[in-house]
């Protein structure tokens, strides 16, 4: 892979991740390279077990690759102590995971505020404004258990966007949502990309693949070549 370009918000170079359990060794990622530009939406698809979640965790700095390098907003996030990765993630990366990113004892509003408190200085948008942007202004004081599935997804998105990240990473964010809510969440992801965010979304959904500018297909921990356009992916179900 050639040098990073200025428009790249996210780059991964030759990522490897091995999981060891006794004598067994699973290679979850085997030399994955990718780049996502500012304003670009990339969908990552592939069968169950192909390494999608492992890839996303390495890109987010939640996990350390066994080899290779990840850069976000021009800064290396891989191969650093966990506390430094957490700081860089809070500054530059929004993460939406299947297990939700909300603390159960805090309201939607306080969950967004908590995420903002991880970064010094005044946030670009207030917590209330962020909830309004995802259509949850009227539910700001609700606790996560008082929210519906679709509302939880939107609150999670508000948390992911708390610090106006350069990179937004989502792991099957619309997995449990009905069609209308899925469309809304995908539209919100597109809006972020239109504002210059680099969006990477792991998905099984045909709808999510259609909104992507580009599709990356993983198989056995490797990028399958020649699958760069949404219309070329015949079957995205794993
Ligand atoms: P996907 O998200 O595409 O379904 P994953 O990234 O979750 O795939 O998993 C890729 C491979 O790595 C699978 O074989 C899985 O069993 C293995 N794996 C993932 N996480 C761990 C872990 N913490 N310990 C051991 N093996 C793991
Ligand atoms: Mg997964």
């Amino acid at each position: 892979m050639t040098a990073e370009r200025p428009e790249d918000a996210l780059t991964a170079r030759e990522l490897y991740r091995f999981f060891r359990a006794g004598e067994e060794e699973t290679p979850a990622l085997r030399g994955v390279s990718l780049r996502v530009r500012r304003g670009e939406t990339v969908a990552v698809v592939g069968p169950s077990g192909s390494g999608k979640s492992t890839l996303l965790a390495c890109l987010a700095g939640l996990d350390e690759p066994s080899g290779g390098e990840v850069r976000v907003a021009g800064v290396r996030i891989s191969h650093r102590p966990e506390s430094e990765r957490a700081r860089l993630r809070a500054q530059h990366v929004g993460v939406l995971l299947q297990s939700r990113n909300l603390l159960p004892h805090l309201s939607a509003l306080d969950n967004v505020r908590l995420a903002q408190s991880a970064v010094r200085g005044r946030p670009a948008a207030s917590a209330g404004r962020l909830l309004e942007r995802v259509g949850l202004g009227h539910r700001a004081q609700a606790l996560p258990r008082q929210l519906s599935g679709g509302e939880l997804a939107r609150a999670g998105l508000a948390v992911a966007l708390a610090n106006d990240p350069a990179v937004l990473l989502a792991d099957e964010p619309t997995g449990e949502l009905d069609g209308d809510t899925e469309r809304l969440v995908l539209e919100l992801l597109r809006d972020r990309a239109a504002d210059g965010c680099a969006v990477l979304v792991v998905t099984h959904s045909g709808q999510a693949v259609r909104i992507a500018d580009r599709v990356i297909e993983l198989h056995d921990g490797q990028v399958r070549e020649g699958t760069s356009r949404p219309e070329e992916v015949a079957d995205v179900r794993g």
Side-chain angles (χ1 to χ4, degrees), residues 63-201:
D63 189 18
E64 273 281 51
S66 313
E69 184 183 87
V70 177
R71 297 179 79 86
V72 292
V75 185
R76 176 174 51 78
I77 193 170
S78 55
H79 304 291
R80 289 181 184 278
E82 180 145 20
S83 59
E84 284 182 33
R85 298 203 309 266
R87 180 177 57 79
L88 290 170
R89 183 168 56 251
Q91 264 176 347
H92 300 300
V93 187
V95 190
L96 255 179
L97 297 177
Q98 274 164 319
S99 59
R100 307 244 177 251
N101 52 355
L102 302 170
L103 291 181
H105 60 285
L106 293 181
S107 68
L109 189 70
D110 284 339
N111 266 286
V112 178
R113 284 182 177 149
L114 179 70
Q116 291 183 325
S117 71
V119 171
R120 244 182 272 174
R122 203 185 147 88
S126 73
R129 180 76 196 86
L130 282 161
L131 287 171
E132 280 167 26
R133 216 186 263 170
V134 299
L136 273 190
H138 61 299
R139 302 293 277 141
Q141 300 300 340
L143 294 172
R145 66 179 150 76
Q146 297 167 326
L147 298 174
S148 70
E151 288 173 336
L152 278 172
R154 287 184 271 161
L157 184 59
V159 169
L161 297 174
N163 298 310
D164 195 20
V167 176
L168 181 60
L169 303 173
D171 194 352
E172 306 201 32
T174 64
E176 297 146 32
L177 303 178
D178 61 75
D180 283 347
T181 313
E182 177 179 18
R183 202 164 307 124
L184 179 82
V185 169
L186 292 174
E187 272 169 25
L188 291 166
L189 294 181
R190 287 294 303 185
D191 287 351
R192 298 322 301 153
D195 285 347
C197 194
V199 177
L200 182 141
V201 50

Side-chain angles (χ1 to χ4, degrees), residues 48-49 51-54 98 171-172 202 204:
S48 179
K52 304 182 297 294
S53 293
T54 304
Q98 274 164 319
D171 194 352
E172 306 201 32
V202 168
H204 281 262

